[in-house]
Amino acid sequence: EDQVTQSPEALRLQEGESSSLNCSYTVSGLRGLFWYRQDPGKGPEFLFTLYSAGEEKEKERLKATLTKKESFLHITAPKPEDSATYLCAVRRGGGSQGNLIFGKGTKLSVKP
Amino acid sequence: DAGVIQSPRHEVTEMGQEVTLRCKPISGHDYLFWYRQTMMRGLELLIYFNNNVPIDDSGMPEDRFSAKMPNASFSTLKIQPSEPRDSAVYFCASSGIAGGTLSIQYFGAGTRLSVL
């Protein structure tokens, strides 16, 4: 069964304390892994798409990496404004635009 | 573009009442998705449309749920009759080649539904 598991469920960091969020997946025919950020009371906001093992993408303090079994979202020197829930999703093969399977997310809190 | 627009933002209703959620996708997008988010199950796909045609409704929980897309700029998700276990945040998302990026889904702000 296709599955996405994110860990930890919640993470508390001090401002400037770097860390990583994990997204483990099992899916038949990966057609993309997506990272989203969700703020309270808002919809998920797209961050990155990764398509193949070894691929990396960066945006400000965030860097996403991908292996054949998992993805990491590395947060370097986080700031309080990075506090949010980070969602990981995978798109299955078959050529369909749909079929995004989401993990339950990691809630990140960054204290000043 | 204003992004994906959903209405209402909040809906409180009593068990047994009909609820209609509305969505306007990003102009030019040809895919539209309806999701439900709860603490227990996270974000789940309910149904999605391509060019106004429903493609996969396997995530619709039961016959009380229905979705329509009468034109490219409007979709509805209806629950009739509503039950307390339907309480959740419902999101609409759209995607397409508009803006040159295929397959990224852009989400609306969601409708928080409370069924008493």
Side-chain angles (χ1 to χ4, degrees):
Chain A
E1 180 185 351
D2 297 336
Q3 198 169 6
V4 177
T5 303
Q6 292 188 246
S7 61
E9 290 185 11
L11 181 62
R12 292 187 176 186
L13 299 173
Q14 288 297 123
E15 184 172 2
E17 179 186 3
S18 301
S19 188
S20 297
L21 312 182
N22 178 262
C23 172
S24 298
Y25 64 90
T26 54
V27 64
S28 52
L30 180 71
R31 294 288 298 275
L33 184 140
F34 301 79
W35 282 99
Y36 284 84
R37 168 189 171 130
Q38 186 174 22
D39 292 295
K42 296 188 177 181
E45 177 186 348
F46 171 75
L47 293 173
F48 303 108
T49 308
L50 302 166
Y51 289 103
S52 57
E55 188 175 359
E56 298 183 352
K57 289 196 176 169
E58 288 189 64
K59 180 180 180 180
E60 296 181 354
R61 295 176 292 282
L62 300 177
K63 182 168 84 172
T65 62
L66 181 64
T67 72
K68 290 185 177 180
K69 294 184 178 180
E70 58 191 348
S71 176
F72 292 94
L73 184 65
H74 306 278
I75 304 176
T76 302
K79 298 182 178 181
E81 53 262 42
D82 294 322
S83 297
T85 296
Y86 291 85
L87 298 170
C88 170
V90 297
R91 186 159 71 92
R92 292 178 288 196
S96 171
Q97 268 268 10
N99 296 324
L100 273 189
I101 305 170
F102 279 85
K104 292 186 178 180
T106 293
K107 184 175 182 179
L108 174 66
S109 299
V110 182
K111 302 300 181 184
Chain B
D1 198 311
V4 176
I5 300 173
Q6 292 187 245
S7 65
R9 288 298 315 277
H10 303 275
E11 177 79 43
V12 180
T13 189
E14 292 187 349
M15 182 173 64
Q17 296 298 306
E18 177 180 295
V19 175
T20 299
L21 311 181
R22 297 172 176 79
C23 175
K24 176 179 168 51
I26 293 172
S27 177
H29 280 186
D30 54 354
Y31 283 84
L32 183 139
F33 306 84
W34 282 102
Y35 288 89
R36 179 171 66 178
Q37 187 174 43
T38 61
M39 290 292 292
M40 286 292 294
R41 300 177 67 89
L43 198 61
E44 300 175 288
L45 178 66
L46 300 176
I47 185 172
Y48 78 94
F49 296 81
N50 178 219
N51 292 323
N52 313 337
V53 176
I55 303 301
D56 185 352
D57 66 354
S58 60
M60 296 286 260
E62 47 196 278
D63 293 345
R64 297 185 297 106
F65 286 69
S66 62
K68 294 182 180 180
M69 192 165 185
N71 58 61
S73 60
F74 183 66
S75 177
T76 60
L77 178 68
K78 186 176 293 186
I79 308 173
Q80 165 65 12
S82 59
E83 296 182 2
R85 58 193 168 118
D86 301 330
S87 297
V89 182
Y90 291 81
F91 288 101
C92 176
S94 70
S95 70
I97 59 174
T101 305
L102 189 66
S103 88
I104 293 173
Q105 296 182 19
Y106 296 90
F107 284 77
T111 296
R112 181 173 294 277
L113 173 65
S114 297
V115 183
L116 306 177

